[in-house]
């Protein structure tokens, strides 16, 4: 091999080594200074919740929001993504004023030659209504010894709550993440005095009547033979015997195929909690690589790897 070829090969190897070292440096910088999110797509700088409206409004409109109409356009053609068929429809006829239904040239009445239809989305905010319960009373017509009265089917007897109201509060608080004080303000807009303390007590009291439903969902998930489990950090304020900065855990488990998700709170995120939550389950369990899952019965539970965590290695290799 000539000197030129030798130097060329050495130069190529050095460039490859430099590129490899640069990749390692990028990976180390990202691990130390970068976001800890597992998403490959990073959040653009400056995109904060406060300027969400301005950021989204600056994006180009989607195909569903813009439409170019020419003489070649086929009438009656719906949008690319039509609204679901189960949504109720109401027709609003938009007609010309009577003064414009005359030809401006000869004054003859215009003749209707067709119509153009388009669908727009309408939404109605939460509507309030009052349920008047009338509980019938009965008594024996021959004696005063026996009387009977129908019982209210309410989940929380003695309160003004209905199943619909409780479902709305649970959905708003735990799914939409609305604080109770905001819900209190929403009710005030309808001139209804429902304070946050009352709603908080309801959320605690409703646990007991809903426990049978929770147990039924757990049984269905266990019978599926395939479940997933994960724990995430939560911060609990004013917890007896623990400081506000102490980390607690919300455990999520369920059957992805059945759409069942169960939530359990525990101060610990260790394997003992996982073992207790999965007691009686036999089948495949998908989880991350937390060593606490080693406490599970390997004869009854077959652990499956988490695709999200497996992707990390490919992501690191991609950064290199």
């Amino acid at each position: 091999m000539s000197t030129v070829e030798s130097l060329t090969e050495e130069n190529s190897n050095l460039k490859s080594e430099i590129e490899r070292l640069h990749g390692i440096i990028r990976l180390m910088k990202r691990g130390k200074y970068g976001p800890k999110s597992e998403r490959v797509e990073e959040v653009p700088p400056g995109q904060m919740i406060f300027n969400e409206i301005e950021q989204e409004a600056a994006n180009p409109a989607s195909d569903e929001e813009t439409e170019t109409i020419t003489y070649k356009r086929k009438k009656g053609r719906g949008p690319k993504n039509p609204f679901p068929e189960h949504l109720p429809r109401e027709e609003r006829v938009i007609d010309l004023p009577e003064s414009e239904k005359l030809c401006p040239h000869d004054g003859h009445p215009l003749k209707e030659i067709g119509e153009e239809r388009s669908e727009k989305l309408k939404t109605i905010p939460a509507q309030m209504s009052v349920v008047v319960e009338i509980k019938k009373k009965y008594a024996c017509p021959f004696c005063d010894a026996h009387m009977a009265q129908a019982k209210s089917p309410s989940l929380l007897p003695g309160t003004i709550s209905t199943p619909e109201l409780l479902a709305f509060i649970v959905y708003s608080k735990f799914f939409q993440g609305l604080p109770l004080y905001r819900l209190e303000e929403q009710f005030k807009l309808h001139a209804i005095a429902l304070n946050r303390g009352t709603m908080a007590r309801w959320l605690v009291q409703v646990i007991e009547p809903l426990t049978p439903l929770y147990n039924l969902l757990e049984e269905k998930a266990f019978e599926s033979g395939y479940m997933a489990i994960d724990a995430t950090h939560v911060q609990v304020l004013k917890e007896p015997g623990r400081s506000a900065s102490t980390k607690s855990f919300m455990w999520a488990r369920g059957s992805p195929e059945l759409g069942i998700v169960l939530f359990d709170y525990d101060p610990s995120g260790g394997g003992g909690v996982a073992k207790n939550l999965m007691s009686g389950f036999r089948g495949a369990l998908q989880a991350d690589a937390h060593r606490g899952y080693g406490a599970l019965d390997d004869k009854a539970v077959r652990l499956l790897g988490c695709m999200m965590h497996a992707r990390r290695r490919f992501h690191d290799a991609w950064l290199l």
Side-chain angles (χ1 to χ4, degrees):
M1 179 182 296
S2 65
T3 304
V4 175
E5 292 176 346
S6 177
L7 291 175
T8 302
E9 182 179 355
E10 182 180 0
N11 183 55
S12 177
N13 293 335
L14 289 175
K15 285 183 177 180
S16 299
E17 180 65 14
I18 292 173
E19 181 62 29
R20 188 182 72 85
L21 293 175
H22 277 307
I24 295 175
I25 293 174
R26 287 196 301 269
L27 185 61
M28 293 177 64
K29 284 184 176 180
R30 183 182 182 277
K32 186 173 182 178
Y33 304 109
K36 299 301 185 291
S37 172
E38 296 175 357
R39 296 179 57 186
V40 175
E41 297 179 0
E42 304 296 349
V43 178
Q47 184 172 343
M48 300 175 62
I49 188 172
F50 302 106
N51 63 342
E52 177 187 11
I53 297 176
E54 290 79 4
Q55 290 285 345
E56 294 297 331
N59 294 331
S62 62
D63 293 339
E64 290 76 13
E65 296 176 357
T66 59
E67 183 180 39
T68 301
I69 301 176
T70 67
Y71 67 96
K72 294 182 179 179
R73 178 177 178 269
K74 295 181 179 179
K75 292 184 178 181
R77 183 177 180 181
K80 294 182 179 179
N81 296 317
F83 298 123
E85 292 295 332
H86 69 272
L87 294 179
R89 260 79 172 171
E90 64 172 285
E91 292 189 354
R92 294 181 180 178
V93 179
I94 304 175
D95 203 351
L96 288 173
E98 293 297 327
S99 59
E100 297 182 14
K101 291 184 178 180
L102 299 176
C103 179
H105 301 290
D106 53 24
H108 285 90
L110 298 179
K111 179 181 179 182
E112 183 177 343
I113 59 173
E115 62 184 21
E116 181 178 310
R117 288 176 173 258
S118 62
E119 292 190 345
K120 299 183 178 182
L121 187 62
K122 173 184 176 182
T123 181
I124 302 176
Q127 298 178 346
M128 305 292 174
S129 61
V130 178
V131 177
V132 181
E133 282 192 351
I134 304 174
K135 293 179 284 188
K136 297 289 187 177
K137 294 182 177 181
Y138 294 88
C140 177
F142 302 102
C143 68
D144 296 331
H146 182 71
M147 294 183 62
Q149 182 178 355
K151 295 182 179 180
S152 172
S154 174
L155 289 173
L156 300 178
T159 69
I160 63 171
S161 66
T162 60
E164 294 84 357
L165 176 59
L166 293 172
F168 173 74
I169 296 175
V170 172
Y171 170 81
S172 300
K173 169 62 178 174
F174 297 108
F175 188 81
Q176 294 292 332
L178 290 178
L180 293 180
Y181 76 87
R182 290 189 180 178
L183 285 174
E184 182 178 349
E185 293 299 323
Q186 286 190 22
F187 286 109
K188 284 183 180 179
L189 295 176
H190 295 270
I192 298 174
L194 184 55
N195 61 65
R196 69 196 77 173
T198 300
M199 289 186 282
R201 287 191 294 273
W202 287 352
L203 291 174
V204 174
Q205 295 169 359
V206 81
I207 294 175
E208 183 177 352
L210 291 181
T211 297
L213 178 60
Y214 176 92
N215 294 335
L216 179 62
L217 292 174
E218 184 180 49
E219 291 177 5
K220 292 291 185 181
F222 274 34
E223 292 172 359
S224 68
Y226 164 59
M227 292 183 64
I229 188 171
D230 194 17
T232 185
H233 296 292
V234 293
Q235 189 173 351
V236 181
L237 301 177
K238 298 181 180 180
E239 192 172 15
R242 309 182 77 211
S243 63
S245 59
T246 305
K247 289 184 178 180
S248 301
F249 294 85
M250 183 65 70
W251 290 80
R253 58 197 172 108
S255 169
E257 295 177 325
L258 299 179
I260 297 175
V261 182
L262 305 170
F263 294 92
D264 296 89
Y265 167 78
D266 198 280
S268 172
V273 181
K275 184 177 181 180
N276 180 57
L277 292 176
M278 300 310 301
S279 177
F281 172 73
R282 302 186 66 87
L285 179 66
Q286 196 157 26
D288 58 25
H290 192 282
R291 61 177 181 273
Y293 296 120
L296 299 176
D297 184 4
D298 56 0
K299 295 182 180 179
V301 179
R302 180 187 178 188
L303 284 175
L304 303 179
C306 173
M307 297 300 294
M308 183 68 70
H309 289 75
R311 192 189 69 177
R312 290 177 179 175
R313 306 305 179 190
F314 292 97
H315 187 203
D316 291 345
W318 174 72
L319 289 176
L320 291 174

